[in-house]
Coordinates of all heavy atoms in Angstrom, one line a residue:
F4 N -19.2 10.5 2.5 CA -20.3 10.4 1.5 C -21.6 10.7 2.2 O -21.9 10.2 3.4 CB -20.4 9.1 0.9 CG -19.5 9.0 -0.3 CD1 -18.0 8.6 0.0 CD2 -19.8 9.2 -1.6 CE1 -17.2 8.4 -1.1 CE2 -18.9 9.2 -2.6 CZ -17.6 8.7 -2.4
L5 N -22.5 11.4 1.6 CA -23.9 11.4 1.8 C -24.7 10.6 0.9 O -24.9 11.1 -0.2 CB -24.4 12.9 1.9 CG -23.5 13.8 2.9 CD1 -23.9 15.2 2.7 CD2 -23.8 13.4 4.3
G6 N -25.0 9.5 1.2 CA -25.7 8.6 0.2 C -24.5 8.2 -0.7 O -23.4 7.7 -0.6
D7 N -24.8 8.6 -2.1 CA -23.8 8.3 -3.2 C -23.1 9.6 -3.5 O -22.4 9.5 -4.5 CB -24.6 7.9 -4.5 CG -25.1 6.5 -4.3 OD1 -24.6 5.7 -3.5 OD2 -26.0 6.0 -4.9
W8 N -23.2 10.7 -2.8 CA -22.7 11.9 -3.1 C -21.4 12.3 -2.2 O -21.5 12.1 -1.1 CB -23.8 13.0 -2.9 CG -23.5 14.3 -3.4 CD1 -23.1 14.8 -4.5 CD2 -23.5 15.5 -2.5 NE1 -22.9 16.1 -4.7 CE2 -23.1 16.6 -3.4 CE3 -23.7 15.8 -1.1 CZ2 -23.1 17.9 -2.9 CZ3 -23.6 17.1 -0.8 CH2 -23.2 18.2 -1.7
A9 N -20.4 12.5 -2.9 CA -19.1 12.8 -2.1 C -19.2 14.3 -1.3 O -19.4 15.2 -2.1 CB -18.0 12.9 -3.1
A10 N -19.2 14.2 -0.1 CA -19.2 15.4 0.7 C -17.9 16.2 0.8 O -17.8 17.3 0.7 CB -19.7 15.2 2.1
V11 N -16.8 15.5 0.5 CA -15.4 16.0 0.6 C -14.6 15.3 -0.5 O -14.6 14.1 -0.7 CB -14.8 15.8 2.0 CG1 -13.4 16.4 1.9 CG2 -15.6 16.4 3.1
R12 N -13.9 16.2 -1.4 CA -13.0 15.7 -2.4 C -11.7 16.3 -2.1 O -11.5 17.6 -1.9 CB -13.5 15.8 -3.8 CG -14.9 15.1 -4.0 CD -15.4 15.1 -5.4 NE -15.4 16.5 -5.9 CZ -15.6 16.7 -7.2 NH1 -15.9 15.8 -8.1 NH2 -15.7 17.9 -7.7
F13 N -10.7 15.5 -2.4 CA -9.3 16.1 -2.3 C -8.6 16.0 -3.7 O -8.8 14.9 -4.4 CB -8.5 15.1 -1.3 CG -9.0 15.2 0.1 CD1 -9.9 14.2 0.5 CD2 -8.6 16.1 1.0 CE1 -10.5 14.2 1.8 CE2 -9.1 16.1 2.3 CZ -10.0 15.2 2.7
F14 N -7.8 17.0 -4.1 CA -7.2 17.1 -5.3 C -5.6 17.3 -5.1 O -5.3 18.0 -4.1 CB -7.7 18.1 -6.2 CG -9.1 17.9 -6.4 CD1 -10.1 18.4 -5.5 CD2 -9.6 17.3 -7.6 CE1 -11.5 18.2 -5.9 CE2 -10.9 17.2 -7.8 CZ -11.9 17.6 -7.0
G15 N -4.9 16.9 -5.9 CA -3.5 17.1 -5.9 C -2.5 16.1 -6.6 O -3.0 15.1 -7.0
P16 N -1.3 16.4 -6.7 CA -0.4 15.5 -7.4 C 0.0 14.2 -6.6 O -0.2 14.2 -5.3 CB 1.0 16.3 -7.5 CG 0.9 17.2 -6.3 CD -0.5 17.6 -6.1
M17 N 0.2 13.0 -7.3 CA 0.6 11.8 -6.7 C 1.5 11.1 -7.6 O 1.6 11.3 -8.8 CB -0.7 11.0 -6.3 CG -1.4 10.5 -7.6 SD -0.9 8.9 -7.9 CE -2.0 8.4 -9.1
E18 N 2.3 10.2 -7.1 CA 3.2 9.3 -7.6 C 3.1 7.9 -7.1 O 3.0 7.8 -5.9 CB 4.6 9.8 -7.5 CG 5.0 11.1 -8.2 CD 6.4 11.5 -8.0 OE1 7.3 10.8 -7.9 OE2 6.6 12.8 -7.9
F19 N 3.1 7.0 -8.0 CA 3.0 5.5 -7.5 C 4.3 4.8 -7.9 O 4.6 4.7 -9.0 CB 1.8 4.9 -8.0 CG 1.6 3.5 -7.5 CD1 1.3 3.3 -6.1 CD2 1.7 2.4 -8.4 CE1 1.1 2.0 -5.7 CE2 1.5 1.1 -7.8 CZ 1.3 0.9 -6.5
D20 N 4.9 4.3 -6.9 CA 6.1 3.4 -7.2 C 5.7 1.9 -7.1 O 5.4 1.4 -5.9 CB 7.2 3.6 -6.1 CG 8.3 2.8 -6.2 OD1 8.4 1.8 -6.9 OD2 9.4 3.1 -5.5
A21 N 5.4 1.3 -8.2 CA 4.8 -0.1 -8.2 C 5.8 -1.1 -7.7 O 5.3 -2.0 -7.0 CB 4.6 -0.5 -9.7
G22 N 7.0 -1.0 -7.8 CA 8.0 -1.9 -7.1 C 7.9 -2.0 -5.6 O 8.0 -3.0 -5.0
N23 N 7.8 -0.8 -5.0 CA 7.6 -0.7 -3.6 C 6.2 -0.6 -3.1 O 5.9 -0.5 -1.8 CB 8.4 0.4 -3.1 CG 9.9 0.3 -3.1 OD1 10.4 -0.8 -2.9 ND2 10.5 1.3 -3.6
R24 N 5.1 -0.5 -4.0 CA 3.8 -0.4 -3.7 C 3.5 0.8 -2.9 O 2.7 0.7 -1.8 CB 3.2 -1.7 -3.0 CG 3.3 -2.9 -4.0 CD 3.1 -4.2 -3.3 NE 1.8 -4.2 -2.5 CZ 1.0 -5.2 -2.4 NH1 1.2 -6.2 -3.1 NH2 0.0 -5.1 -1.6
K25 N 4.2 1.9 -3.2 CA 4.2 3.1 -2.3 C 3.5 4.3 -3.1 O 4.0 4.6 -4.2 CB 5.4 3.4 -1.8 CG 5.5 4.6 -0.8 CD 7.0 4.8 -0.4 CE 7.0 5.9 0.8 NZ 8.3 6.1 1.3
L26 N 2.5 4.9 -2.5 CA 2.0 6.1 -3.3 C 2.2 7.3 -2.4 O 1.9 7.3 -1.2 CB 0.4 5.9 -3.3 CG -0.5 7.0 -3.8 CD1 -0.3 7.1 -5.3 CD2 -1.9 7.0 -3.2
T27 N 2.9 8.2 -3.0 CA 3.1 9.6 -2.3 C 2.2 10.6 -2.9 O 1.8 10.5 -4.1 CB 4.6 10.1 -2.5 OG1 4.9 10.1 -3.9 CG2 5.6 9.1 -1.7
F28 N 1.9 11.5 -2.2 CA 0.8 12.5 -2.5 C 0.8 13.8 -1.9 O 1.6 13.9 -0.8 CB -0.7 11.9 -2.3 CG -1.0 11.7 -1.0 CD1 -1.6 12.6 -0.1 CD2 -0.6 10.5 -0.3 CE1 -2.0 12.4 1.1 CE2 -0.8 10.2 1.0 CZ -1.6 11.2 1.8
D29 N 0.1 14.9 -2.3 CA 0.0 16.2 -1.5 C -1.3 16.6 -1.9 O -1.8 16.6 -3.0 CB 1.1 17.1 -2.0 CG 1.1 18.3 -1.1 OD1 0.4 18.2 0.0 OD2 1.7 19.4 -1.4
F30 N -2.1 17.1 -1.0 CA -3.4 17.7 -1.2 C -3.0 19.2 -1.5 O -2.7 19.9 -0.6 CB -4.4 17.6 -0.1 CG -4.7 16.1 0.3 CD1 -4.7 15.8 1.7 CD2 -5.0 15.3 -0.6 CE1 -5.1 14.5 2.0 CE2 -5.3 13.9 -0.3 CZ -5.4 13.6 0.9
T31 N -3.5 19.7 -2.6 CA -3.4 21.1 -3.0 C -4.8 21.8 -3.1 O -4.8 23.1 -3.2 CB -2.6 21.3 -4.3 OG1 -3.2 20.5 -5.4 CG2 -1.2 20.7 -4.2
R32 N -5.9 21.1 -3.1 CA -7.2 21.6 -3.1 C -8.1 20.7 -2.4 O -8.0 19.5 -2.5 CB -7.6 21.8 -4.5 CG -9.0 22.4 -4.7 CD -9.4 23.0 -6.1 NE -10.7 23.4 -6.1 CZ -11.0 24.5 -5.7 NH1 -10.3 25.5 -5.2 NH2 -12.4 25.0 -5.7
I33 N -9.1 21.3 -1.6 CA -10.1 20.4 -0.9 C -11.4 21.1 -1.4 O -11.5 22.4 -1.4 CB -9.9 20.5 0.5 CG1 -8.7 19.9 1.0 CG2 -11.2 19.9 1.2 CD1 -8.4 19.9 2.5
E34 N -12.4 20.3 -1.8 CA -13.7 20.7 -2.1 C -14.8 20.0 -1.3 O -14.6 18.8 -1.1 CB -14.0 20.4 -3.6 CG -13.3 21.3 -4.6 CD -13.6 21.1 -6.0 OE1 -14.5 20.2 -6.4 OE2 -13.1 21.8 -6.9
L35 N -15.8 20.9 -0.9 CA -16.8 20.3 0.1 C -18.1 20.5 -0.8 O -18.4 21.4 -1.5 CB -17.0 21.2 1.2 CG -15.7 21.3 2.1 CD1 -15.8 22.3 3.1 CD2 -15.3 19.9 2.7
F36 N -19.0 19.5 -0.5 CA -20.4 19.6 -1.1 C -20.4 19.7 -2.6 O -21.1 20.5 -3.1 CB -21.3 20.6 -0.4 CG -21.1 20.7 1.0 CD1 -20.5 21.7 1.8 CD2 -21.7 19.6 1.8 CE1 -20.4 21.6 3.2 CE2 -21.5 19.6 3.2 CZ -20.9 20.7 3.8
G37 N -19.8 18.8 -3.2 CA -19.8 18.7 -4.7 C -19.1 19.9 -5.4 O -19.5 20.2 -6.5
G38 N -18.2 20.6 -4.7 CA -17.4 21.7 -5.3 C -18.1 23.0 -4.9 O -17.6 24.1 -5.5
A39 N -19.2 23.1 -4.2 CA -19.8 24.3 -3.9 C -19.0 25.2 -3.1 O -19.1 26.4 -3.1 CB -21.2 24.0 -3.1
L40 N -18.1 24.6 -2.4 CA -17.1 25.3 -1.5 C -15.8 24.6 -1.7 O -15.6 23.4 -1.5 CB -17.5 25.2 0.0 CG -16.7 26.1 1.0 CD1 -17.0 27.6 0.7 CD2 -17.4 25.9 2.3
G41 N -14.8 25.4 -2.2 CA -13.4 24.9 -2.3 C -12.3 25.8 -1.9 O -12.5 27.0 -1.8
F42 N -11.2 25.1 -1.5 CA -10.1 25.8 -1.0 C -8.8 25.3 -1.7 O -8.5 24.1 -1.7 CB -9.9 25.5 0.6 CG -11.1 25.8 1.4 CD1 -12.1 24.7 1.7 CD2 -11.4 27.0 1.9 CE1 -13.2 25.0 2.3 CE2 -12.5 27.4 2.7 CZ -13.4 26.2 2.8
D43 N -8.1 26.3 -2.1 CA -6.7 26.0 -2.7 C -5.8 26.2 -1.6 O -5.6 27.1 -0.9 CB -6.4 27.0 -3.9 CG -7.2 26.8 -5.1 OD1 -7.4 25.6 -5.5 OD2 -7.5 27.8 -5.6
L44 N -4.9 24.9 -1.5 CA -4.1 25.0 -0.3 C -2.6 25.2 -0.6 O -1.8 25.6 0.2 CB -4.1 23.5 0.3 CG -5.5 23.1 0.8 CD1 -5.5 21.6 1.3 CD2 -6.0 23.9 1.8
G45 N -2.2 25.0 -1.9 CA -0.8 25.0 -2.4 C 0.0 23.9 -1.8 O -0.5 23.2 -1.0
Q46 N 1.2 23.8 -2.3 CA 2.0 22.7 -1.9 C 2.3 22.8 -0.4 O 2.8 23.8 0.0 CB 3.3 22.7 -2.7 CG 4.2 21.5 -2.5 CD 5.3 21.5 -3.4 OE1 5.5 22.3 -4.3 NE2 6.2 20.6 -3.3
G47 N 2.1 21.6 0.3 CA 2.4 21.6 1.7 C 1.3 22.3 2.7 O 1.4 22.2 3.8
G48 N 0.3 22.8 2.0 CA -0.7 23.5 2.8 C -1.6 22.6 3.7 O -2.0 23.1 4.7
A49 N -1.8 21.3 3.2 CA -2.6 20.5 4.1 C -1.9 20.1 5.4 O -2.5 19.9 6.4 CB -2.7 19.1 3.2
A50 N -0.4 20.0 5.3 CA 0.2 19.8 6.5 C 0.1 20.9 7.5 O 0.0 20.7 8.7 CB 1.8 19.5 6.1
E51 N 0.2 22.1 6.9 CA 0.0 23.3 7.8 C -1.4 23.4 8.5 O -1.5 23.7 9.6 CB 0.2 24.7 7.0 CG 1.6 24.7 6.6 CD 1.8 25.9 5.6 OE1 0.8 26.8 5.4 OE2 3.0 26.1 5.0
I52 N -2.5 23.1 7.7 CA -3.8 23.0 8.3 C -3.9 21.9 9.3 O -4.5 22.1 10.4 CB -4.9 22.8 7.2 CG1 -4.9 24.1 6.4 CG2 -6.2 22.5 7.8 CD1 -5.8 23.9 5.1
G53 N -3.3 20.7 9.0 CA -3.4 19.6 10.0 C -2.6 20.0 11.3 O -3.1 19.7 12.4
A54 N -1.5 20.7 11.2 CA -0.8 21.1 12.5 C -1.5 22.2 13.3 O -1.6 22.1 14.5 CB 0.6 21.6 12.0
A55 N -2.2 23.0 12.5 CA -2.9 24.1 13.2 C -4.2 23.6 13.8 O -4.7 24.2 14.8 CB -3.3 25.2 12.0
T56 N -4.8 22.6 13.3 CA -6.1 22.1 13.8 C -5.9 20.9 14.8 O -6.9 20.4 15.4 CB -7.0 21.7 12.7 OG1 -6.4 20.5 12.0 CG2 -7.4 22.8 11.7
G57 N -4.7 20.4 14.8 CA -4.5 19.3 15.8 C -4.7 17.9 15.0 O -4.6 16.8 15.6
L58 N -5.1 17.8 13.7 CA -5.3 16.8 13.1 C -4.1 16.1 12.5 O -3.9 14.9 12.0 CB -6.3 17.0 11.9 CG -7.6 17.3 12.2 CD1 -8.5 17.7 11.0 CD2 -8.4 16.2 13.0
G59 N -2.9 16.9 12.5 CA -1.6 16.5 12.0 C -0.6 17.0 13.1 O -1.0 17.6 14.0
S60 N 0.7 16.9 12.8 CA 1.7 17.3 13.7 C 2.6 18.3 13.0 O 2.6 18.4 11.8 CB 2.5 16.1 14.2 OG 3.4 15.7 13.1
E61 N 3.3 19.1 13.9 CA 4.2 20.1 13.3 C 5.3 19.4 12.6 O 5.9 19.9 11.5 CB 4.9 20.9 14.6 CG 4.1 21.9 15.1 CD 3.7 23.1 14.2 OE1 4.5 23.5 13.3 OE2 2.6 23.6 14.4
N62 N 5.6 18.2 12.8 CA 6.6 17.5 12.1 C 6.2 17.3 10.6 O 7.1 17.3 9.8 CB 6.9 15.9 12.8 CG 8.0 15.3 12.2 OD1 9.2 16.0 12.2 ND2 7.9 14.1 11.7
N63 N 5.0 17.0 10.4 CA 4.5 17.0 9.0 C 4.8 18.3 8.3 O 5.1 18.2 7.1 CB 3.0 16.8 9.0 CG 2.6 15.4 9.4 OD1 3.4 14.4 9.6 ND2 1.4 15.1 9.7
V64 N 4.7 19.5 8.9 CA 5.1 20.7 8.2 C 6.5 20.7 7.9 O 6.9 21.1 6.8 CB 4.7 21.9 9.1 CG1 5.2 23.2 8.5 CG2 3.2 21.9 9.4
K65 N 7.4 20.2 8.8 CA 8.9 20.1 8.5 C 9.2 19.1 7.4 O 10.0 19.4 6.5 CB 9.6 19.7 9.9 CG 9.5 20.8 10.9 CD 10.1 20.3 12.3 CE 9.9 21.3 13.3 NZ 10.3 20.8 14.6
L66 N 8.5 18.1 7.4 CA 8.7 17.2 6.4 C 8.3 17.7 5.0 O 9.0 17.5 4.0 CB 7.8 15.9 6.7 CG 8.3 15.0 7.8 CD1 7.3 13.8 8.1 CD2 9.8 14.4 7.5
A67 N 7.1 18.4 5.0 CA 6.8 19.0 3.7 C 7.7 20.1 3.2 O 8.1 20.1 2.0 CB 5.4 19.7 4.0
E68 N 8.2 20.8 4.1 CA 9.2 21.9 3.8 C 10.5 21.3 3.3 O 11.2 21.8 2.3 CB 9.5 22.7 5.1 CG 8.5 23.7 5.4 CD 8.6 24.4 6.8 OE1 9.5 24.0 7.5 OE2 7.8 25.2 7.0
S69 N 10.7 20.0 3.7 CA 12.1 19.3 3.2 C 11.7 18.6 1.9 O 12.7 18.0 1.4 CB 12.6 18.5 4.3 OG 11.8 17.3 4.5
G70 N 10.5 18.6 1.4 CA 10.2 17.9 0.1 C 9.6 16.5 0.3 O 9.3 16.0 -0.8
K71 N 9.5 16.1 1.6 CA 8.9 14.8 1.7 C 7.4 14.9 1.7 O 6.8 15.8 2.3 CB 9.4 14.2 3.0 CG 10.9 13.9 3.0 CD 11.4 13.3 4.2 CE 12.8 12.9 4.0 NZ 13.4 12.2 5.2
K72 N 6.7 13.9 1.1 CA 5.4 13.9 1.0 C 4.7 12.7 1.8 O 5.4 11.8 2.1 CB 4.8 13.6 -0.4 CG 5.3 14.9 -1.3 CD 4.8 14.5 -2.8 CE 5.2 15.6 -3.7 NZ 4.9 15.4 -5.0
P73 N 3.4 12.9 2.2 CA 2.7 11.8 2.9 C 2.7 10.6 2.0 O 2.8 10.8 0.7 CB 1.3 12.4 3.1 CG 1.3 13.9 2.8 CD 2.6 14.1 2.0
F74 N 2.4 9.5 2.5 CA 2.4 8.3 1.7 C 1.5 7.2 2.2 O 1.1 7.2 3.3 CB 3.8 7.8 1.4 CG 4.5 7.2 2.7 CD1 4.4 5.9 3.0 CD2 5.3 8.0 3.5 CE1 4.9 5.3 4.2 CE2 5.8 7.5 4.6 CZ 5.7 6.1 5.0
F75 N 1.1 6.3 1.3 CA 0.4 5.0 1.6 C 1.2 3.8 1.0 O 1.7 4.0 -0.1 CB -0.9 5.0 1.0 CG -1.9 5.9 1.7 CD1 -2.3 7.2 1.1 CD2 -2.5 5.6 2.9 CE1 -3.2 8.0 1.6 CE2 -3.4 6.5 3.5 CZ -3.6 7.6 2.8
N76 N 1.3 2.7 1.9 CA 1.9 1.5 1.3 C 0.7 0.6 1.0 O -0.1 0.3 1.9 CB 2.8 0.8 2.3 CG 4.1 1.5 2.5 OD1 4.7 1.9 1.5 ND2 4.6 1.8 3.8
W77 N 0.5 0.3 -0.3 CA -0.6 -0.5 -0.7 C -0.6 -1.9 -0.2 O 0.3 -2.5 -0.1 CB -0.7 -0.6 -2.3 CG -1.2 0.9 -2.7 CD1 -0.3 1.9 -3.1 CD2 -2.5 1.3 -2.7 NE1 -1.1 2.9 -3.3 CE2 -2.4 2.6 -3.3 CE3 -3.7 0.8 -2.6 CZ2 -3.6 3.5 -3.5 CZ3 -4.9 1.6 -2.9 CH2 -4.7 2.8 -3.3
I78 N -1.8 -2.3 0.2 CA -1.9 -3.7 0.8 C -2.6 -4.6 -0.3 O -2.2 -5.6 -0.7 CB -2.7 -3.7 2.1 CG1 -2.0 -2.9 3.2 CG2 -3.1 -5.1 2.5 CD1 -2.9 -2.7 4.4
D79 N -3.9 -4.1 -0.9 CA -4.6 -4.8 -1.7 C -5.4 -3.9 -2.6 O -5.8 -2.8 -2.0 CB -5.3 -6.0 -1.1 CG -6.0 -7.0 -2.0 OD1 -5.4 -7.3 -3.1 OD2 -7.1 -7.5 -1.8
C80 N -5.9 -4.3 -3.7 CA -6.8 -3.5 -4.6 C -7.5 -4.5 -5.5 O -6.9 -5.3 -6.1 CB -5.9 -2.5 -5.3 SG -7.0 -1.3 -6.3
D81 N -8.8 -4.3 -5.7 CA -9.5 -4.9 -6.9 C -10.5 -4.0 -7.5 O -10.3 -2.7 -7.3 CB -10.2 -6.3 -6.3 CG -11.3 -5.9 -5.1 OD1 -11.7 -4.8 -5.1 OD2 -11.5 -6.8 -4.4
D82 N -11.4 -4.5 -8.1 CA -12.3 -3.7 -8.9 C -13.3 -2.8 -7.9 O -13.9 -1.8 -8.4 CB -13.2 -4.6 -9.8 CG -12.5 -5.2 -10.9 OD1 -11.4 -4.7 -11.2 OD2 -13.1 -6.0 -11.5
V83 N -13.4 -3.2 -6.7 CA -14.3 -2.5 -5.8 C -13.7 -1.7 -4.7 O -14.0 -0.5 -4.4 CB -15.3 -3.5 -5.2 CG1 -16.3 -2.9 -4.2 CG2 -16.1 -4.4 -6.2
I84 N -12.6 -2.2 -4.1 CA -12.0 -1.6 -2.9 C -10.5 -1.7 -3.0 O -9.9 -2.5 -3.6 CB -12.5 -2.3 -1.6 CG1 -12.2 -1.4 -0.3 CG2 -12.0 -3.7 -1.5 CD1 -13.0 -1.9 0.9
A85 N -9.9 -0.6 -2.3 CA -8.5 -0.6 -2.2 C -8.2 -0.3 -0.7 O -8.8 0.4 0.0 CB -7.9 0.6 -3.0
T86 N -7.1 -1.0 -0.2 CA -6.6 -0.8 1.2 C -5.2 -0.5 1.2 O -4.4 -0.9 0.3 CB -6.9 -2.1 2.0 OG1 -6.2 -3.2 1.4 CG2 -8.3 -2.6 2.2
A87 N -4.8 0.3 2.3 CA -3.3 0.7 2.3 C -3.1 1.1 3.7 O -4.0 1.4 4.5 CB -3.0 2.0 1.3
R88 N -1.8 1.0 4.0 CA -1.3 1.6 5.5 C -0.8 2.9 5.2 O 0.2 3.1 4.4 CB -0.4 0.5 6.0 CG 0.2 0.9 7.3 CD -0.7 0.6 8.5 NE -1.2 -0.8 8.6 CZ -2.4 -1.1 9.3 NH1 -3.0 -0.2 9.9 NH2 -2.7 -2.4 9.3
G89 N -1.1 3.9 6.1 CA -0.5 5.3 5.9 C 0.7 5.4 6.6 O 1.1 4.5 7.3
G90 N 1.5 6.4 6.3 CA 2.7 6.7 6.8 C 2.7 6.8 8.4 O 3.7 6.6 9.1
G91 N 1.6 7.2 8.9 CA 1.4 7.4 10.4 C 0.8 6.1 11.0 O 0.7 6.1 12.2
G92 N 0.8 4.9 10.2 CA 0.2 3.8 10.7 C -1.3 3.4 10.5 O -1.7 2.3 10.8
G93 N -2.1 4.4 10.1 CA -3.4 4.2 10.0 C -3.8 3.4 8.8 O -3.1 3.2 7.8
L94 N -5.0 2.8 8.9 CA -5.4 1.9 7.8 C -6.4 2.9 6.9 O -7.3 3.5 7.4 CB -6.3 0.7 8.2 CG -6.9 -0.2 7.2 CD1 -5.7 -0.9 6.4 CD2 -7.6 -1.3 7.8
A95 N -6.1 2.7 5.6 CA -7.0 3.6 4.6 C -7.8 2.6 3.7 O -7.3 1.6 3.3 CB -6.2 4.5 3.8
L96 N -9.0 3.0 3.6 CA -10.0 2.2 2.7 C -10.5 3.1 1.6 O -11.0 4.2 2.0 CB -11.1 1.4 3.4 CG -10.6 0.6 4.7 CD1 -11.8 0.2 5.5 CD2 -9.9 -0.7 4.1
W97 N -10.6 2.6 0.4 CA -11.3 3.4 -0.7 C -12.3 2.5 -1.4 O -12.0 1.4 -1.5 CB -10.3 3.9 -1.7 CG -9.4 5.0 -1.2 CD1 -9.5 6.3 -1.2 CD2 -8.1 4.7 -0.6 NE1 -8.4 6.9 -0.7 CE2 -7.5 5.9 -0.4 CE3 -7.2 3.6 -0.4 CZ2 -6.2 6.1 0.2 CZ3 -6.1 3.6 0.2 CH2 -5.5 5.0 0.4
T98 N -13.3 3.1 -1.8 CA -14.2 2.3 -2.7 C -14.4 3.1 -4.1 O -14.4 4.3 -4.1 CB -15.5 2.0 -2.1 OG1 -16.4 1.2 -2.9 CG2 -16.3 3.4 -1.9
R99 N -14.6 2.4 -5.1 CA -14.7 2.8 -6.4 C -16.1 3.6 -6.5 O -17.1 3.1 -6.2 CB -14.6 1.8 -7.4 CG -14.7 2.3 -9.0 CD -14.6 1.3 -10.0 NE -13.3 0.6 -9.9 CZ -12.2 1.0 -10.5 NH1 -12.2 2.2 -11.1 NH2 -11.1 0.4 -10.4
T100 N -16.1 4.8 -7.2 CA -17.3 5.5 -7.4 C -17.2 6.0 -8.9 O -16.0 6.1 -9.4 CB -17.4 6.7 -6.5 OG1 -16.4 7.6 -6.7 CG2 -17.5 6.4 -5.1
E101 N -18.3 6.4 -9.5 CA -18.3 7.0 -10.8 C -17.9 8.5 -10.7 O -18.2 9.0 -9.7 CB -19.5 6.7 -11.5 CG -19.9 5.3 -11.8 CD -21.1 5.0 -12.4 OE1 -21.7 6.0 -13.2 OE2 -21.8 3.9 -12.3
E102 N -17.3 8.9 -11.7 CA -17.0 10.3 -11.8 C -18.4 11.2 -11.8 O -19.4 10.8 -12.3 CB -16.4 10.7 -13.1 CG -14.8 10.5 -13.0 CD -14.2 11.4 -12.2 OE1 -14.3 12.5 -12.2 OE2 -13.2 10.9 -11.4
P103 N -18.4 12.2 -11.0 CA -19.6 13.1 -10.9 C -20.0 13.7 -12.2 O -19.3 13.9 -13.1 CB -19.2 14.1 -9.9 CG -17.7 14.1 -9.8 CD -17.3 12.8 -10.2

């Protein structure tokens, strides 16, 4: 964020399994600077970019090719913030914002 303005936004399909508190997802589009610059990635495209830039691993590409998606295991969520543990072990934090 730059102040209250989202500098980067991610779009794509997701599924939430409430029983296991697991959110699976795939990024199929990334937009920068309020949509001034956007990239369509296609299914599994985020894994390929991650592997090519060193932000992800080649194993993520293989997982995407086999139909497995990245995921988060939810820890807690309220009206303001959500927390989850990523499939790679990292902690993710989100805060609620209004639609642009």
Side-chain angles (χ1 to χ4, degrees):
F4 277 89
L5 302 171
D7 290 334
W8 189 59
V11 180
R12 296 190 307 174
F13 299 91
F14 300 86
M17 65 94 170
E18 295 178 28
F19 184 67
D20 178 347
N23 291 317
R24 298 169 48 139
K25 185 175 186 177
L26 174 78
T27 57
F28 63 94
D29 189 14
F30 299 135
T31 56
R32 181 170 177 77
I33 298 174
E34 289 184 356
L35 305 172
F36 311 114
L40 189 59
F42 304 94
D43 289 318
L44 305 175
Q46 187 172 357
E51 292 174 9
I52 290 172
T56 61
L58 296 172
S60 72
E61 286 291 331
N62 190 52
N63 291 344
V64 175
K65 293 175 187 171
L66 290 171
E68 288 171 350
S69 70
K71 295 186 178 180
K72 295 180 181 177
F74 66 89
F75 289 105
N76 289 314
W77 286 92
I78 298 169
D79 191 34
C80 183
D81 62 24
D82 291 346
V83 179
I84 194 166
T86 58
R88 178 77 56 198
L94 180 65
L96 303 170
W97 294 269
T98 187
R99 181 179 299 277
T100 62
E101 293 183 26
E102 280 292 313

